[in-house]
Amino acid sequence: MTVADVQSAIHPLQKSADRVGDQVEQFAKSLDRLSTGKHKPTASCQSVIPLVSDYERIASHTVERLKRIHGTEKQSKPSKSSRRRSRGSSERSSPIPIHEDDDEVGIIGTTVKDLHQWEEEQQTWRLLSLMLRIEFPLHEGHQSTSWHDNRFERPHGGNSLHRYSSEAEIWQEFLAQDDSAWEKHTVLQWLRMTAESSGEDIESIVEHLETGSDRGVGLHPQGWLYSREMIKNEKRLRSWPLSLDPNSPSIDTSLADKDSSKKLVTQLDPDVFSRQARELAKADVFFERAIWLACWEMLRRGRSWASIREWCQTRKEGWRALSMHGDARMVTHGTWKSRALWRRTCAKAAKLGGIDEYENAVFGFLSGDVSSVEKVARKWDDLLFAHYNASLVRTFDVFVEKRVSSRRSSSSQGPFVTDFDESTQDILRKMENTAPADIGVKDLMKTLQATLISKRFKTFITEQGHRLAQSANETHRSKIMNYAGQNQKGPPTTPHLTLDDHSLLRILTHIILIFQESDPALPKSYAIENIIVAYIDYLSKAGKQQLLPLYVSRLSPRRAVECMARQLPFITDARERQTTMKLMQQYAMNVNAILDVQLVLIMMDSQPTKDPASEFPRPGILDYSNKNSKIIRPVKKDFIGNDITGDEQDLINGFEWFLLLEGLWSETMRSGTILYRHFLRKVHPSYLVILALLMIFLETGTGRLAAAKVLSKTVTFSMISLGKTQKFLGRSTDIATSEPQSEDEYDESDHLRRSTRTRSQVIHQDRGSSTRRRRQIGRDLLLSQSTTFLDLENLIVALRALEEWKDVEVQAVNHPNPRHAGAWKKKMRAAHDTVVATMQPLLHGWLQSPRDDDEARDIQAIKVGYLPEVILAYNSVLNFGGHALSRDILLKCMDLAATVAAKDSELAEIFVAAGRMSELVESMAIASKSILRAEEIGQQSGKKGKRVNGETMDIWSVKVAGEE
């Protein structure tokens, strides 16, 4: 993508950057504080944990800010999962209006969707921190104080277990000894924490169900209100003081719900559903579902048993809390036998089924049953929670059987869960294959979390890097990353990243850098670095140029040079360039290589022709539209033009970077020479079609000459010399125009000063003279290294002068007012003099000092392709000036012929090599005739006129012998 492309795309990217601009810069500042020294020989997370904590803190603050804006909207808008809960037990429509696509924009341009995304990011950074602590445990003396939570402190263990050990003691020892169990316990705690922090408010969820219970909002001590009233009414009608018998005659007819044809229960004890196989009143079903849903949500979010008991007792449902009192993670007393039997009872209750799926899920969680919990899973997190909980409960059961063998008789009745020994990879693979599509297991952020949990981040990020390159090269060749396709076969196994996923690019980039810092085994492969390069490209397009060197410096050396070289042309502001240059030097980047490579890459993008025979064609200065061969061809108007491509502008912008570096004289001249040679080359055939159309419709010249013209104005030899000679010569000077002092002048001035000054003054003067000699030697050396660049610049300056002269000529000829003729003649004289002055370097010793054989071949081709046409155009200007300004100018045509024919000149050989000697001869012959006619007119008028340098046209006054 070129600068022009960036300008057209900057608006949407700038909006994106503005929305998350603070966070982007905060992430960069935190990364900058991370030590950039060599990786430690062993893997450790000690240095990166504070960085991960910083990232989590940034995400947390952003979530808090967004909640202040969108929190009310989020809570008032029922989620899809809560709507499914409502529909799961009733066909009655909710009175609360549902807006499926209500994404009202907040005061800072964000939406509820942004809040969800930042919540997920916050959860991801917390998960990364936990997994790093598990993978690379910190030593006791190096515990991080930047983040602490007792729920994630691993027990030390070492306790002796026996028959009478409490379940809490056994659980603590289990977590201390079993690494896999501790990891799963940590993930479960993380899942509970994420559900608590980002889930809907429990009371809000319950309220959505209360609308169907016909009792208003607030589940106060009412219980099964409608079923109880119907049973009481039936007992009053029958005058029956005891419990109703479900087998009584006509009980099904008299005891019936008006909203349902199902049989209603005749008693109100908790297990009446399974015992009688009857139903509650439909309104009470909503009540029951709401209660069990609340209990499930509290367990899912890690609420303590005390808080669950308090919530249930407030609603006169304390028996429900008591039925959950027995989980090893929630109690600290009781014998193992009672807990084993209690868990088996919970497993039976979960499998046989209660009145609601959430009741089954509650007991399934307590017993470790997967299927019952899977039924209420609404998100990927819920599904993972079900599988991890089941695996952990069963693993704990096996641990007890092995470590406390005296209790085996009460716990060896068979497993409560199947596949308890599955690995994390197996569990996640099963989830990917069997989970419903709407649960979110296919979501890229969830996939990232899954890879962190399963420790497959390297595989995941490598695949994402390949897929990102493939996506970037689908419609056109990407300039920031290549894609060969040899490492990817078949369809992607995970959702793949694109260049538009800016938030994910930021997250993945920083996770990669964290892993590279903490684990030296993680390689800097090309595929993995594609992610970082894509994020760098986003920062560049979003106007965050000052952040680029920081991230580029984290790439491998070769990729860093290529990546930074791609971004430099987009930085056009002078201050931004200065800052970026200082930052590149600060991060010890190879600035010289970056400046060289940027030009090479852009020239490769523009694809010049590889045919040496036509590599440097005629510049198309002269107008051959007139078929008359007996005239001097005029110069075409606007033969250079002003239209340049984006790549050509990028090259010019890139070359300007050389002005920011002190020194590098030889490198700057070499790069500038290569650039001019590139612009003088023939355009690639695909470009020729476009440019030919431009020439037809816009009457413009070739794009490369236009680019060379811009370069000769933007980065002149004078600018380079004034900017760089201070370091070499001790002062800033334009070495192309400053005149050196000769050795004779040195000797004479030294002699005079020696004869009139004291000894100390003479010594001081000797030092000054030595300085001047060194300065002159340095000047000569700099000139020798810059000859080719200066000569090519002189060519473009001469072409510019010819084009400007033609523009003045056309305006003067076409100007209708004769009163302004004098002014236009003055302008023509100035333009004419400029052409004459700029042509002189091309006529004497031009392009004589190539650096190498490759440059020598190009120089010879440039001479043959350009010089004959330029000289013919110069002769045309002289001929026109001789007629329009002064006939004495025609003498310069003869001087030009003499210069071409001189023995020490190679111009004649160049015309022969170009096959244009006959054209030159014809042009000179026409000029000679013009001189004859001009002299004849001068004799008739009797005017001698002024002669140029004492020259006279009398030699052209031909008289026949015998004439007076």
Side-chain angles (χ1 to χ4, degrees), residues 658 661-668 720 723-725 727-728:
F658 283 89
L661 280 178
E662 290 186 355
L664 295 182
W665 177 268
S666 177
E667 292 82 354
T668 303
I720 298 173
K724 293 184 175 293
T725 50
K727 179 176 181 180
F728 300 105

Side-chain angles (χ1 to χ4, degrees), residues 833-934:
D833 292 343
T834 302
V835 171
V836 173
T838 57
M839 280 297 301
Q840 299 313 304
L842 277 62
L843 300 176
H844 307 283
W846 185 64
L847 286 181
Q848 299 295 322
S849 305
R851 286 173 175 259
D852 48 44
D853 292 341
D854 182 59
E855 187 171 286
R857 286 191 296 270
D858 280 1
I859 283 177
Q860 184 60 27
I862 291 171
K863 287 180 180 179
V864 173
Y866 282 84
L867 202 51
E869 183 107 350
V870 174
I871 292 175
L872 290 170
Y874 178 47
N875 186 56
S876 177
V877 171
L878 294 177
N879 184 71
F880 187 92
H883 290 83
L885 300 174
S886 171
R887 59 195 180 97
D888 292 337
I889 295 177
L890 293 172
L891 291 175
K892 293 181 180 179
C893 294
M894 297 301 100
D895 293 338
L896 178 60
T899 300
V900 174
K903 292 183 178 180
D904 59 346
S905 173
E906 63 172 353
L907 296 179
E909 297 176 1
I910 292 174
F911 270 92
V912 172
R916 308 188 72 172
M917 179 57 77
S918 60
E919 192 175 350
L920 174 65
V921 172
E922 291 177 2
S923 177
M924 290 301 176
I926 296 172
S928 299
K929 293 179 181 180
S930 297
I931 294 174
L932 287 173
R933 286 194 297 268

Side-chain angles (χ1 to χ4, degrees), residues 754-770:
R754 287 174 185 274
S755 62
T756 59
R757 298 196 176 188
T758 63
R759 177 178 177 81
S760 61
Q761 290 174 327
V762 170
I763 293 174
H764 177 74
Q765 185 59 43
D766 286 343
R767 292 174 180 171
S769 177
S770 175

Side-chain angles (χ1 to χ4, degrees), residues 578-595:
Q578 291 283 359
T579 302
T580 303
M581 181 64 72
K582 291 178 182 178
L583 289 173
M584 287 194 294
Q585 294 171 338
Q586 175 183 330
Y587 291 114
M589 299 172 66
N590 191 344
V591 179
N592 297 359
I594 291 172
L595 296 184

